[in-house]
Amino acid sequence: MNFVVYLTKTRWGASKVRESLMDSAQAHQQCLEKLIWAMGRLEVEVDLTQIYKIADLIVQPMTGYWRYFHTPQHVIEVGGNEDGIEVLAALFHDLVYVQVDCSINFNLSYYITPFIKQEREKLRIRETFQLPADITFEMVACVFGFVPGQVLDPFAGENEFLSALVATKVLEPFFSLSRLMEIAACIEATIPFRTKSKEGLTASDRLYQRLGRTNHRFNLGLSDLAIEQIVKRAQRVANRDVSGFAHPSSAYFLANTWNLLPETNHNFISRSYTVREYRMALQKMESFMNFLQPEAIFNQFRGEPDDLTYSRLQNGARRNIEIARLYLGSKLVSIALMESLAFSLGFDVSLATLMGELPYHDYRGVRLETFLPKVVDAFHPKNDLESEVLDLLENGRAKSATADLKDSPLAAFIVKSIGFEALQEQSARAKEFFKGNLSAVDFISSFDGTVTRPVVDALLKLFENRKSAINRYYQGIISDAKPKPQTNS
């Protein structure tokens, strides 16, 4: 049975499909309105039937089953509401996302397969002798600095290049090659997290150079000032694409981050992941946050954005990443404890088995934290960073993710019991446990008993509660099944 069809037959899967259908209709209308506005802004006459088809082409992949962050709402926000080229580029910039969708939408492949071939798990630009004569494709490749025969890298522009290719091929009946180059440039700029080159050039500097070469090669007749304006426009799109990193609310920033989990961990959608699977998802996110350089998130090109705005963006990103690192480290310690305890039951134990079911609509099951005691002599945060992270653990991110609680009661309990300093020491042991360099027994033994004893007691009470619930349920069935005594009429 097809996996998606199977999910629709489950309680959660059916709900997800119904929500997607409603979202798709709304997204199509919003996309349609943006396309009409952008075409009007650029003074291009396009038949409404054609615009409707373009909207459908955009919305279908972006309301796919795995999309939770890279959605129509995201691309509409990235486009802003002032510039037609920015709006069009944003609508297309996340159209192809191979790693999230696990494929390329069939309707999009029509525009891609003449130029791209698949070799095992990789995508490669066709060799020169295999490529059709196509000036639009050649222009896009020139903007990206890609060449025939090149293997596309998922972390170095694969999705953006393919999205730009679709965008320019779809829009080429309506725009000049120079206009299409502007759209491709905006999409290229959304390749994220690029550092300066050895020569000290930013991603925008390098884009400016490639646009100059593209302009010369295709005789577009653009001045240096015009190319500079194109890069500035692209810079605006790129910075809006990652604007969540600088959000003034860390709770909102983390809520957005959590929406990425189902996109890259598909078992989260069914809400039936194991302790180990949940830990691995958190571990990937924590590793990424520790690897990410705040300076590589936002970029500035010749005064775009202005110095004050650029400084605010960088400082906001730096603060949020610092918070995310401590927050994720705290959650990893708590899940490490649960994973080490899970070894007593088996290797792949469901997280719900140990923690309790996630809330579902009006259903609120009994969870582990129900039985955790209040920490009497709690550790107090030593600085603003620790205070903010503890608040996030206790009160939660800005909104609940579909596959996880927004708060982290177990992690908050551990922090209050031993403090952040001891927790960070425990984090190093947790990572050794994850690598297999420390056994589950040794990891539990190294944990402070003021944490492990109450957690184990709470776990036993949770299991006892389930035992009692099953017994009451069974006794009720037996009672109903017994024949009723007859009475004389």
Side-chain angles (χ1 to χ4, degrees):
M1 180 184 291
N2 179 279
F3 182 57
V4 174
V5 173
Y6 168 73
L7 284 176
T8 65
K9 295 180 181 294
T10 68
R11 178 181 65 181
W12 172 244
S15 174
K16 167 66 178 172
V17 169
R18 285 195 298 272
E19 291 171 8
S20 295
L21 289 174
M22 290 186 288
D23 290 345
S24 179
Q26 184 180 16
H28 193 281
Q29 181 60 34
Q30 291 178 343
C31 182
L32 193 67
E33 291 171 359
K34 282 290 184 181
L35 284 169
I36 293 171
W37 180 88
M39 294 298 190
R41 188 83 167 185
L42 296 168
E43 299 180 346
V44 176
E45 291 187 10
V46 184
D47 184 83
L48 186 59
T49 303
Q50 291 176 301
I51 294 182
Y52 189 93
K53 290 179 180 178
I54 296 172
D56 194 47
L57 186 76
I58 293 171
V59 169
Q60 276 196 37
M62 300 211 67
T63 52
Y65 199 78
W66 313 118
R67 298 287 187 120
Y68 277 78
F69 178 83
H70 297 95
T71 61
Q73 185 59 41
H74 170 68
V75 299
I76 287 171
E77 291 171 357
V78 170
N81 52 23
E82 295 182 2
D83 185 283
I85 292 293
E86 292 177 27
V87 167
L88 288 176
L91 288 174
F92 282 91
H93 87 281
D94 277 336
L95 202 55
V96 177
Y97 211 133
V98 178
Q99 295 70 44
V100 171
D101 299 328
C102 295
S103 64
I104 294 176
N105 181 276
F106 184 79
N107 295 332
L108 304 182
S109 64
Y110 171 83
Y111 301 96
I112 294 172
T113 51
F115 313 101
I116 308 296
K117 62 181 178 179
Q118 181 173 342
E119 294 179 352
R120 296 181 183 273
E121 301 301 316
K122 296 181 179 180
L123 298 179
R124 182 192 293 272
I125 299 175
R126 295 183 184 275
E127 301 292 346
T128 303
F129 69 90
Q130 297 174 315
L131 288 168
D134 191 292
I135 193 170
T136 300
F137 167 77
E138 292 173 12
M139 178 274 295
V140 173
C142 196
V143 168
F144 277 75
F146 290 179
V147 296
Q150 178 175 335
V151 173
L152 299 180
D153 185 342
F155 303 104
E158 174 185 73
N159 296 307
E160 292 81 5
F161 175 68
L162 298 177
S163 296
L165 179 57
V166 173
T168 53
K169 293 303 293 178
V170 169
L171 297 173
E172 67 180 351
F174 317 113
F175 293 102
S176 66
L177 192 63
S178 61
R179 278 297 201 192
L180 294 175
M181 185 185 78
E182 295 179 50
I183 294 169
C186 287
I187 297 176
E188 193 280 341
T190 65
I191 301 173
F193 314 131
R194 291 179 286 180
T195 55
K196 290 184 178 180
S197 67
K198 294 179 181 178
E199 298 75 26
L201 298 177
T202 66
S204 294
D205 294 329
R206 301 194 293 272
L207 176 60
Y208 176 80
Q209 291 182 342
R210 289 196 303 275
L211 291 182
R213 291 193 290 269
T214 306
N215 179 47
H216 176 74
R217 176 178 169 182
F218 296 97
N219 298 312
L220 299 179
L222 297 170
S223 66
D224 290 343
L225 180 60
I227 294 175
E228 179 180 305
Q229 293 304 314
I230 292 172
V231 179
K232 286 184 176 182
R233 177 189 288 119
Q235 190 59 72
R236 289 194 292 271
V237 174
N239 283 344
R240 281 198 298 268
D241 191 27
V242 290
S243 61
F245 276 92
H247 199 282
S249 166
S250 58
Y252 180 89
F253 162 67
L254 286 172
N256 266 347
T257 303
W258 242 250
N259 280 336
L260 293 169
L261 281 176
E263 288 197 342
T264 53
N265 303 274
H266 290 170
N267 52 325
F268 271 47
I269 293 178
S270 66
R271 296 158 53 109
S272 61
Y273 43 84
T274 66
V275 178
R276 183 169 174 269
E277 287 170 337
Y278 182 76
R279 181 264 295 175
M280 290 175 69
L282 288 186
Q283 199 174 4
K284 285 191 292 185
M285 192 185 299
E286 194 252 3
S287 296
F288 170 70
M289 288 296 177
N290 281 309
F291 167 80
L292 182 60
Q293 301 176 31
E295 297 75 21
I297 299 173
F298 297 101
N299 207 344
Q300 184 184 40
F301 180 78
R302 302 184 183 181
E304 178 59 53
D306 61 72
D307 290 342
L308 184 62
T309 301
Y310 184 52
S311 177
R312 177 182 58 78
L313 291 172
Q314 283 198 312
N315 291 336
R318 191 174 292 109
R319 174 69 175 174
N320 279 331
I321 289 174
E322 192 178 13
I323 289 168
R325 288 170 178 171
L326 185 56
Y327 176 83
L328 287 163
S330 304
K331 288 182 70 69
L332 272 177
V333 169
S334 66
I335 198 63
L337 178 58
M338 299 312 295
E339 186 173 351
S340 61
L341 290 171
F343 270 71
S344 63
L345 301 176
F347 183 69
D348 275 331
V349 178
S350 164
L351 184 62
T353 299
L354 296 184
M355 302 293 291
E357 293 288 337
L358 289 171
Y360 183 81
H361 293 308
D362 295 331
Y363 173 73
R364 297 289 186 272
V366 179
R367 292 183 49 81
L368 178 74
E369 58 266 23
T370 307
F371 305 104
L372 287 175
K374 182 179 180 180
V375 181
V376 178
D377 190 18
F379 276 78
H380 294 288
K382 295 181 178 179
N383 50 50
D384 291 342
L385 175 64
E386 290 187 356
S387 293
E388 189 158 354
V389 171
L390 180 57
D391 181 69
L392 287 165
L393 294 172
E394 283 193 290
N395 299 313
R397 302 178 297 276
K399 54 186 176 181
S400 292
T402 55
D404 196 11
L405 294 175
K406 71 174 184 177
D407 55 344
S408 309
L410 178 57
F413 173 80
I414 295 174
V415 168
K416 287 182 175 181
S417 298
I418 64 176
F420 279 105
E421 187 174 336
L423 181 135
Q424 287 178 300
E425 293 176 5
Q426 197 63 48
S427 177
R429 296 189 187 94
K431 289 176 182 178
E432 290 301 304
F433 167 56
F434 298 150
K435 292 177 184 175
N437 297 332
L438 195 66
S439 70
V441 173
D442 289 338
F443 179 72
I444 296 172
S445 301
S446 71
F447 228 109
D448 193 310
T450 59
V451 171
T452 54
R453 186 68 261 171
V455 170
V456 170
D457 286 345
L459 193 57
L460 294 174
K461 289 175 182 177
L462 177 63
F463 287 166
E464 186 63 37
N465 179 273
R466 288 169 172 165
K467 175 183 173 182
S468 299
I470 291 173
N471 186 55
R472 289 193 301 271
Y473 179 65
Y474 177 71
Q475 292 301 328
I477 293 173
I478 296 299
S479 175
D480 291 342
K482 288 180 178 179
K484 300 294 186 290
Q486 294 183 350
T487 58
N488 294 325
S489 55

